[in-house]
Amino acid sequence: MPRDTEPGGEPRGPRHVAIIMDGNGRWAQARGRPRLFGHHAGARRVREVVEACPGLSIKYLTIFAFSTENWKRTQVEVAGLMKLFRRYITKETRALREKGVRVRFIGDRVRLDAKLTALMDRLERETEGNDLVHLTIALNYGSRDEVARATRRLAQDVADGRLSPDDVDEETLPKYLDTCVLPDPDLVIRTSGEARISNFLLWQSAYSEYEFIDTLWPDFTAAELARLCESYGARDRRFGAVKA
Ligand code: FPP
């Protein structure tokens, strides 16, 4: 029986789904192809998943595209991924705008090249009037880096007298995070059989439900997302409390 329900008794799916899209490299290697072939296949899955969101009542979708640790990969892979992001944004801007998707990026833009950040800014601007689905792309994102950057700004506000140390609490700190305008994720999915969270939304997912699935990201489908949303509806989320 679904227990996580709306007041009317309808099963409730996750409002915010966050996805660690893992397994592109293995998917490509299994086909005897270079890792970037897998990333390109992975990028094509993003569209299907975004398009499935309204039908599943997912209002917020956050995807992990590139971590602060991914710079450790070969120069060829990093450069290929950056080119893929530029291509994806250029190709998808119009469709995202017309389909009612509002796009935001989280992560530190300082290390990204100017051509890419200009495209990111433009996509954010061109979709800022949309509200059907809020797609957040984590690019050069790491949760520890995000918390460090947030703390730096918070400390500056204290030093400048805009904030009192006594006012720093669980409500104040998230206002400094990259995700300040987003609700916490209800469901975090990681593909490819790895059961770890790899520096993704550490603060925000304190009470999220997790799904670690074996599917490699390029094989992930809207049908699988629907199945995960359905099983989320049967979970008993207590947030540390005891249900009456
Ligand atoms: C992890 O797979 C995936 C990444 C580091 C990149 C994620 C990027 C995409 C899905 C492509 C495009 C995204 C957008 C938004 C256009 P992995 O390389 O670690 O796979 P492996 O564990 O099998 O090696």
Side-chain angles (χ1 to χ4, degrees):
M1 269 296 285
R3 279 172 288 183
D4 198 8
T5 54
E6 299 283 15
E10 284 302 304
R12 193 176 65 194
R15 183 163 167 257
H16 183 177
V17 173
I19 308 182
I20 302 173
M21 308 178 287
D22 196 11
N24 296 345
R26 277 164 283 167
W27 186 89
Q29 275 157 359
R31 287 160 180 77
R33 304 296 300 266
R35 296 176 55 80
L36 277 166
F37 181 72
H39 294 314
H40 280 267
R44 286 194 291 276
R45 303 321 296 169
V46 174
R47 185 189 268 226
E48 178 178 332
V49 169
V50 173
E51 286 179 357
C53 287
L56 296 168
S57 302
I58 297 170
K59 189 84 186 167
Y60 296 88
L61 176 71
T62 300
I63 54 176
F64 205 178
F66 192 86
S67 80
T68 45
E69 288 71 39
N70 286 153
W71 298 104
K72 296 177 197 156
R73 298 185 175 206
T74 64
Q75 202 269 335
V76 169
E77 185 169 353
V78 170
L81 276 167
M82 294 300 149
K83 191 167 166 196
L84 170 60
F85 297 141
R86 290 197 298 272
R87 226 175 79 169
Y88 173 85
I89 296 173
T90 308
K91 249 182 64 194
E92 296 291 313
T93 292
R94 186 162 166 202
L96 289 163
R97 189 182 58 227
E98 288 175 357
K99 290 200 164 114
V101 180
R102 177 167 187 173
V103 182
R104 294 183 180 88
F105 291 89
I106 55 170
D108 190 358
R109 295 182 195 203
V110 169
R111 202 171 163 184
L112 300 174
D113 81 51
K115 249 196 284 177
L116 176 57
T117 55
L119 289 167
M120 290 159 64
D121 290 342
R122 194 186 71 178
L123 179 54
E124 286 186 329
R125 243 185 356 260
E126 288 203 12
T127 61
E128 73 189 356
N130 286 345
D131 184 46
L132 183 64
V133 177
H134 292 246
L135 170 66
T136 302
I137 303 176
L139 218 168
N140 193 27
Y141 175 86
S143 218
R144 289 179 172 184
D145 174 71
E146 176 191 35
V147 171
R149 285 185 288 106
T151 308
R152 213 176 299 140
R153 287 194 295 116
L154 187 149
Q156 192 61 56
D157 279 352
V158 170
D160 295 346
R162 283 189 293 270
L163 183 71
S164 157
D166 293 336
D167 291 334
V168 179
D169 57 18
E170 288 187 27
E171 305 288 314
T172 316
L173 198 139
K175 293 189 181 134
Y176 288 82
L177 297 175
D178 296 350
T179 52
C180 57
V181 297
L182 305 175
D184 287 342
D186 300 299
L187 175 64
V188 179
I189 299 167
R190 183 178 188 138
T191 57
S192 93
E194 311 286 0
R196 54 176 176 263
I197 52 176
S198 301
N199 206 7
F200 187 48
L201 303 176
L202 300 180
W203 172 283
Q204 299 86 340
S205 64
Y207 277 101
S208 302
E209 300 293 322
Y210 276 89
E211 286 279 5
F212 298 103
I213 57 167
D214 287 335
T215 310
L216 303 175
W217 174 253
D219 291 328
F220 189 78
T221 59
E224 187 148 29
L225 179 62
R227 180 184 67 73
L228 296 173
C229 289
E230 201 181 314
S231 79
Y232 167 91
R235 290 183 180 212
D236 185 14
R237 297 185 77 191
R238 294 188 296 276
F239 301 93
V242 177
K243 278 207 174 146

